[in-house]
Amino acid sequence: MRRLAFDPRDVIGGLLLLALGVATVIGGEEYAIGTARRMGPGYFPVLLGYICAALGLAVIAKGFIRRLWDEGEMQLPSVRAILGITGSVAAFILAGQHLGLVPAILALVVIGGFVDRGNTPRSIILLAIGVAAGGVALFSYALGIVFRLFPWSY
Amino acid sequence: MDFDNLIAGFGIALTFQNLGYSLLGVFVGNLIGVLPGIGPLAAISILLPVTFGLEPTGALIMLAGIYYGAQYGGATTSILLNIPGVASHAVTCLDGHPMAKQGRPGVAIFTSMYSSFIGACIGIVIMMFFSPFMVKAALSFGPADYFAMMALGLIAASTLAQGSALKSIAMVIVGLLIGAVGTDVQTGQQRFTLGIPELSDGINLVAVATGLFGIADVLANVNRSQGSILTKGKNLALRAMFPTRAEFRFMTKPILRGTGIGAILGILPGTGGTIASFMSYAFEKKISRTPSRFGKGAIEGIAAPEASNNAAAQTAFIPTLTLGVPGDAVMALMLGALIIFGIQPGPRFPAEHPDIFWSLIASFWIGNLLLVLMNIPLIGLWARILLVPYRIMYPAILFFICIGVYSINNSLFDVGLAMAFGLLGYGMNILGFEPAPLLLGYVLGPLMEEHLRRAMLLSRGDPSVFIERPISATLLALCVALIGWSVWSALKPKPPELAVA
């Protein structure tokens, strides 16, 4: 890997903190600031926003001082994990909304299961059935959580 | 100290129902704690929703059980696999794993359980005697003092834990900001809700915690930790578990020293089991006549840190319950759970809810005893669970998180929120930011804001109230000292071989 003059973790993280701080200060101006004696709803968040932005700058600065770098190097995020896991949870939400708990669990485990390359279609299907059966028994029957099971149940 | 209340507490804790909750809590906590990479934080956040259907006493007993169940379980994983489930067990790996490799995993696990039990028992006694004093002291606390106390807790937690102190303090601020989302209690103003009605009650604690610690963990570990690493557990039979009598005698003093260090650090805000275990390990190594044995299976290298972190785990409840100021992220979760149950911890809590307070203490004892009794026969089972590959485990973990988050408000929106926090946690992990300070800041945010506003209202807008009150001045001076110390230790010249790199 090419050597950089800065630690990308600190620079990216610092920029994000800076952005969050600035956004908070701008967004917080909608709310009444009040006085130090009678603080309005905007006072505390705006104060934090300034601190957050300042810390963001400090973290960026830290990233340019080699001596202050964190240990190790930045690991690249796994796109497969991000897309797969987010997709599986999104499928759980959508299927849960429109179809019911059982389809939601099957969607979650099947989509989520494929993220790991070691899983075979057969093991994923068996796992999905197992989790669905156990999950319904535990949460719907034993703990009584309200969640319709199938599209045709209510 | 109130023996009548304690006996009454045992009466409540020993009812069939609460005993069952305790047993269930320690069992499930233990089970989850044994899984590599999942510590008490993830265990409590995943199981928190399950307890919401119970009445507060039972739920708290179960949560406390999950907490130290996961603590004990984490030690098992550290010893057998050399993977600390939580930072506070990282030290246990140093001598526990070599001992397991020498063919004595049973002795190592027994030692860790035995020392944990002694440490926890002494921690509970200290908690019983010390809490009333804390309550008395707390009654003289004004809003400025509370604010300073929380500030100290947040700063100590971020400067003393692992990782960059600067980045951890930044995470505290982000946590405080996340805590500000929702309806402002004093004016009813909606803040940072982006017009989403689900956010007007604030961001759900369970969504934040399960996202940051559960989903982020799955994202980081999927496809990475392949298969299982455990070499078939031998010598885990009951007979091979007991240390020799000489070893028993040998570890008594390290256990007591570890307990002392842990009990003190547990009470202090922001310092918890992790620092306690590292400190007591270092202390044992320093005073040992044969420091060379450390790292190669020294029994006191397991006993002292384990006693220490369990003593700290118990005494950490003192500031959480009597001041309402949690010292670390686990306690912050506990505090959050209490508030969800409609109980506001603080100096009036032991007096207003003596039944809950004392039955909780009684249940600590019962739970620790149950763990020791249960763990010994179950070690073989835990070792087999460690053989289940992660690729089979994580889809089930994911499901537990989704259904758990859903069940709090029957809201799929919260599930999406948890996923968002999972992505945030994964990003933080990659960029080297710690999630625990964020959670602590998030829980303390609303409380801090309230105390800040109240203090400034009482002082008519004069900030000098924070340095005029002796308690607040002392605590804030400690904050400044901690920040100064961490700046100094980051900037001081390092030994040349490290600086060149």
Side-chain angles (χ1 to χ4, degrees):
Chain A
M1 196 172 158
R2 193 161 52 89
R3 301 205 69 172
L4 296 168
F6 54 86
D7 186 337
R9 292 173 293 188
D10 288 346
V11 174
I12 298 170
L15 285 172
L16 291 171
L17 286 169
L18 184 61
L20 176 69
V22 170
T24 310
V25 171
I26 294 171
E29 286 187 345
E30 262 183 64
Y31 318 124
I33 301 288
T35 59
R37 179 175 176 185
R38 287 196 176 274
M39 292 184 188
Y43 197 100
F44 192 61
V46 168
L47 186 67
L48 291 176
Y50 281 114
I51 300 176
C52 185
L55 287 171
L57 291 175
V59 172
I60 296 173
K62 168 181 174 301
F64 281 97
I65 305 172
R66 190 172 291 260
R67 213 150 47 79
L68 298 181
W69 287 2
D70 296 344
E71 284 168 37
E73 280 196 1
M74 184 169 143
Q75 307 281 322
L76 287 179
S78 154
V79 178
R80 188 185 171 99
I82 292 176
L83 292 181
I85 302 292
T86 312
S88 70
V89 174
F92 179 86
I93 295 171
L94 285 177
Q97 194 101 56
H98 300 289
L99 300 172
L101 181 59
V102 174
I105 299 175
L106 296 177
L108 175 80
V109 177
V110 169
I111 298 173
F114 275 109
V115 175
D116 197 298
R117 293 195 177 83
N119 279 333
T120 59
R122 187 170 165 268
S123 70
I124 289 173
I125 288 168
L126 287 177
L127 185 64
I129 294 171
V131 173
V136 170
L138 180 60
F139 288 97
S140 290
Y141 293 108
L143 292 172
I145 283 167
V146 184
F147 203 141
R148 85 181 155 149
L149 295 181
F150 294 100
W152 53 85
S153 46
Y154 53 91
Chain B
M1 181 55 224
D2 203 331
F3 279 103
D4 294 341
N5 275 329
L6 182 64
I7 291 162
F10 265 105
I12 298 170
L14 281 172
T15 56
F16 183 69
Q17 219 177 9
N18 287 336
L19 208 53
Y21 291 141
S22 189
L23 187 64
L24 191 66
V26 295
F27 180 78
V28 180
N30 207 335
L31 175 72
I32 294 189
V34 166
L35 303 177
I38 303 182
L41 260 174
I44 296 175
S45 13
I46 294 171
L47 294 171
L48 190 56
V50 177
T51 62
F52 284 167
L54 315 176
E55 36 87 40
T57 312
L60 266 187
I61 287 176
M62 190 163 149
L63 282 174
I66 295 167
Y67 174 35
Y68 38 75
Q71 287 268 17
Y72 279 68
T76 309
T77 323
S78 304
I79 290 167
L80 290 179
L81 296 183
N82 206 17
I83 303 172
V86 237
S88 56
H89 290 300
V91 173
T92 312
C93 290
L94 296 179
D95 278 289
H97 192 62
M99 200 165 180
K101 274 210 201 127
Q102 288 158 19
R104 304 183 74 202
V107 177
I109 291 173
F110 183 88
T111 305
S112 96
M113 283 189 313
Y114 173 74
S115 354
S116 299
F117 182 68
I118 306 277
C121 283
I122 298 175
I124 298 167
V125 174
I126 293 173
M127 188 185 168
M128 281 163 34
F129 283 92
F130 197 75
S131 295
F133 290 106
M134 201 71 154
V135 166
K136 248 179 234 150
L139 288 174
S140 62
F141 269 43
D145 305 322
Y146 272 111
F147 180 83
M149 180 96 190
M150 291 180 198
L152 177 60
L154 290 173
I155 288 173
S158 38
T159 50
L160 297 178
Q162 74 262 56
S164 152
L166 175 64
K167 288 163 109 175
S168 295
I169 291 180
M171 285 303 101
V172 166
I173 301 292
V174 173
L176 291 170
L177 278 173
I178 293 170
V181 173
T183 308
D184 174 38
V185 255
Q186 293 186 12
T187 57
Q189 167 89 47
Q190 304 265 315
R191 294 191 296 191
F192 306 105
T193 56
L194 309 172
I196 302 168
E198 281 91 345
L199 287 181
S200 60
D201 274 344
I203 294 176
N204 194 312
L205 168 71
V206 181
V208 177
T210 50
L212 283 180
F213 296 96
I215 297 181
D217 235 44
V218 171
L219 283 165
N221 288 323
V222 70
N223 252 332
R224 291 245 165 88
S225 48
Q226 285 302 335
S228 61
I229 325 96
L230 180 66
T231 44
K232 291 261 183 318
K234 273 184 233 138
N235 277 331
L236 285 172
L238 204 52
R239 253 178 310 141
M241 290 198 66
F242 289 96
T244 61
R245 189 175 294 181
E247 282 172 326
F248 259 120
R249 223 171 317 140
F250 187 60
M251 65 185 166
T252 307
K253 276 184 187 161
I255 288 177
L256 293 179
R257 284 191 290 259
T259 304
I261 293 173
I264 294 169
L265 290 181
I267 298 173
L268 297 179
T271 56
T274 308
I275 300 159
S277 63
F278 275 94
M279 267 182 70
S280 54
Y281 187 83
F283 187 70
E284 286 306 318
K285 197 170 171 182
K286 191 156 253 173
I287 64 165
S288 169
R289 269 186 232 132
T290 50
S292 58
R293 290 191 305 115
F294 281 79
K296 294 169 194 154
I299 199 158
E300 67 267 41
I302 304 170
E306 281 295 314
S308 184
N309 85 47
N310 278 278
Q314 296 298 344
T315 53
F317 275 98
I318 300 175
T320 309
L321 295 179
T322 60
L323 294 179
V325 179
D328 61 11
V330 177
M331 285 298 122
L333 260 184
M334 288 288 198
L335 184 84
L338 274 166
I339 294 173
I340 290 172
F341 284 114
I343 297 162
Q344 181 65 57
R348 282 185 304 275
F349 168 62
E352 271 173 16
H353 299 279
D355 49 333
I356 298 181
F357 185 79
W358 291 100
S359 60
L360 194 60
I361 289 185
S363 88
F364 289 160
W365 243 320
I366 297 166
N368 272 291
L369 191 65
L370 285 175
L371 268 170
V372 172
L373 293 178
M374 198 170 73
N375 234 327
I376 293 172
L378 284 179
I379 286 296
L381 178 67
W382 298 149
R384 259 196 296 280
I385 285 173
L386 290 175
L387 291 168
V388 177
Y390 189 72
R391 62 186 167 82
I392 300 291
M393 209 107 80
Y394 78 85
I397 294 175
L398 217 48
F399 162 67
F400 264 96
I401 292 171
C402 287
I403 190 84
V405 174
Y406 166 83
S407 67
I408 306 157
N409 294 325
N410 288 344
S411 154
L412 285 165
F413 176 83
D414 286 350
V415 180
L417 214 50
M419 186 63 229
F421 275 95
L423 292 171
L424 174 69
Y426 185 48
M428 283 164 57
N429 176 336
I430 285 173
L431 297 175
F433 289 88
E434 292 293 325
L438 194 158
L439 183 70
L440 195 54
Y442 159 79
V443 172
L444 286 182
L447 295 171
M448 263 185 113
E449 182 178 6
E450 201 187 316
H451 286 299
L452 175 66
R453 281 164 133 178
R454 207 179 287 162
M456 293 299 272
L457 185 64
L458 288 175
S459 75
R460 297 164 196 272
D462 181 6
S464 62
V465 62
F466 288 102
I467 44 173
E468 274 162 8
R469 294 183 61 93
I471 301 174
S472 147
T474 315
L475 296 172
L476 288 177
L478 281 171
C479 291
V480 173
L482 268 175
I483 292 176
W485 171 77
S486 63
V487 169
W488 179 78
S489 62
L491 293 179
K492 76 174 172 199
K494 284 182 188 164
E497 72 268 31
L498 282 174
V500 175

